[in-house]
Amino acid sequence: MTDAPADALAHAPADPLAEGPADAPAALARPYSWTEGRTQPSVELAVEARVRTTPLGQALPQRRASAMWTVTQLCLQPRSVAEIAAHLSVPLGVARVLVADLLGEELVVVEATLTADSGIDERRRLIERVLSGLRAK
């Protein structure tokens, strides 16, 4: 996929929340390795969908190098799919696949944000909350 030296991947932090520079090709390849190259989630998830960790997800043993564990920790307090992507510094498609996988294992739940009956004010507040959450990152 890349012409980067073989040891470039070794320099990428194993912890998705680790600080510090990462080799650009390795940093881009790593999120897609978390999803085994998948870019389409098994269920449709809106970027504003709020994700919350279930009690089953809270009971997962600590594995800081696991993207799945990291997402469950991020979602101890409800976060949008967009916020998850921003916190992990991954493409939105990767965040959607991770959340869909966790949803399938009942480690997270997705809370409804809007209904078909939602008014313009509700929609505007939702957009403001998502933007605020992304700026706070």
Side-chain angles (χ1 to χ4, degrees):
M1 179 173 158
T2 173
D3 294 335
D7 67 343
L9 292 175
H11 291 93
D15 181 352
L17 297 180
E19 297 295 323
D23 184 77
L28 183 59
R30 185 179 65 238
Y32 289 101
S33 70
W34 292 339
T35 63
E36 299 170 345
R38 292 173 296 137
T39 58
Q40 294 298 314
S42 56
V43 295
E44 196 59 40
L45 294 167
V47 296
E48 74 276 3
R50 291 173 46 93
V51 181
R52 182 178 43 81
T53 302
T54 64
L56 184 60
Q58 292 173 18
L60 280 179
Q62 179 177 353
R63 291 187 53 214
R64 290 188 58 81
S66 163
M68 303 288 263
W69 179 82
T70 302
V71 172
T72 61
Q73 295 305 297
L74 284 171
C75 296
L76 290 173
Q77 135 182 94
R79 297 187 191 273
S80 70
V81 174
E83 287 176 283
I84 293 167
H87 279 280
L88 294 176
S89 299
V90 299
L92 193 53
V94 170
R96 283 180 165 148
V97 170
L98 291 172
V99 170
D101 289 352
L102 290 167
L103 185 63
E105 294 181 31
E106 299 180 355
L107 300 173
V108 299
V109 293
V110 176
E111 300 172 342
T113 53
L114 294 175
T115 65
D117 299 333
S118 297
I120 190 72
D121 290 336
E122 289 176 283
R123 294 174 188 278
R124 184 171 287 130
R125 283 192 300 272
L126 173 64
I127 291 170
E128 289 170 356
R129 283 195 313 268
V130 170
L131 288 174
S132 177
L134 291 172
R135 287 183 189 124
K137 168 64 177 128

